[in-house]
Amino acid sequence: MKDINYQKHYYAGTRDELVTILADTLSEFRFQHILRVEAKALELADHFAITDLEKVSVAALVHDYAKERSDDEFKTIIVRKHLDQDMLNWGNYVWHGFVGAEMIHDELAITDEDILNAVRRHTTGAPYMTIYDKLIFMADYIEDGRDFPGVDDCRATTFADLDAGVAWQLKHTLNYLLTKQTPIHPKTVLTYNAFVANNK
Ligand SMILES: [Fe+2]
Ligand SMILES: [Fe+2]
């Protein structure tokens, strides 16, 4: 992996300082995951000739910053910051993206909207996704620790065509959610429509 030397465009400290905070904040399991997501996101960025590697690195490292917070903490922020109150009907899976972005903004002083949006959109996706959204969305799904059936096919698809990778993930996630008969966030459906159903 390329060594990313932060120019402090997005985070006030060095990469090492950010990594130390994350190591102290997250379980070892999740800490290793975010490092693998960063490695994969940088690999994808290199492959697709994305030049702002500092932005990719910060977004990847912080994407699950809030994943291990309590439900009560998320609910408090949704109410206190007057976020979309429908959020209260969802759970950690949706909160750690949408509400996690608020925590990253407030606690880590990261204000770049590309980074915050990549965090907000990393679980449900969005009908319109920036290149950074797509890199984090896919790196999270295909990082080297993932071993679900078809992951190698998804990796190959993603490196061949990033949008096709996004569509691959959405099809499989939606299928999985349907089998489990869990509620599906409307944003996931809108993303599916944009990348799969309307793009045949
Ligand atoms: Fe996540
Ligand atoms: Fe993740």
Side-chain angles (χ1 to χ4, degrees):
M1 187 185 95
K2 279 184 193 164
D3 198 22
I4 305 298
N5 193 8
Y6 283 9
Q7 303 300 309
K8 305 192 180 175
H9 287 139
Y10 309 113
Y11 176 66
T14 64
R15 179 184 173 279
D16 279 355
E17 285 166 346
L18 179 57
V19 165
T20 302
I21 289 176
L22 294 165
D24 292 344
T25 306
L26 300 170
S27 63
E28 179 61 17
F29 165 80
R30 193 147 331 268
F31 176 64
Q32 293 302 328
H33 163 67
I34 57 147
L35 292 180
R36 290 192 301 267
V37 172
E38 185 202 26
K40 190 58 71 183
L42 290 172
E43 204 182 314
L44 285 166
D46 187 49
H47 182 78
F48 290 108
I50 308 307
T51 50
D52 196 342
L53 300 182
E54 182 177 354
K55 188 177 285 207
V56 173
S57 166
V58 174
L61 288 175
V62 302
H63 85 279
D64 274 345
Y65 174 72
K67 178 85 178 175
E68 294 169 353
R69 301 297 178 92
S70 71
D71 288 0
D72 280 349
E73 199 171 343
F74 285 117
K75 287 181 192 164
T76 304
I77 290 178
I78 293 167
V79 172
R80 182 167 52 79
K81 299 194 90 172
H82 308 290
L83 305 181
D84 178 0
Q85 297 300 293
D86 176 60
M87 272 289 150
L88 292 169
N89 299 318
W90 299 90
N92 178 284
Y93 179 76
V94 170
W95 291 337
H96 82 278
F98 288 100
V99 190
E102 302 294 321
M103 294 168 169
I104 290 162
H105 178 280
D106 295 350
E107 297 171 20
L108 299 177
I110 292 172
T111 57
D112 182 82
E113 278 300 313
D114 286 337
I115 293 174
L116 297 177
N117 280 332
V119 174
R120 288 186 184 106
R121 296 169 182 163
H122 88 269
T123 54
T124 63
Y128 171 78
M129 293 170 83
T130 69
I131 184 71
Y132 301 101
D133 296 344
K134 291 174 190 172
L135 289 186
I136 303 307
F137 188 71
M138 291 317 301
D140 190 24
Y141 195 62
I142 62 170
E143 53 97 337
D144 286 349
R146 303 287 194 200
D147 65 351
F148 55 85
V151 66
D152 283 333
D153 178 49
C154 185
R155 287 186 181 119
T157 303
T158 304
F159 276 89
D161 178 341
L162 194 54
D163 283 2
V166 173
W168 199 108
Q169 176 178 170
L170 284 161
K171 275 187 262 184
H172 285 75
T173 301
L174 226 62
N175 257 322
Y176 171 76
L177 294 172
L178 288 169
T179 357
K180 289 216 329 180
Q181 299 189 11
T182 58
I184 298 170
H185 193 275
K187 206 82 177 261
T188 306
V189 179
L190 293 175
T191 313
Y192 172 85
N193 288 345
F195 280 87
V196 184
N198 294 337
N199 203 20
K200 282 184 286 198

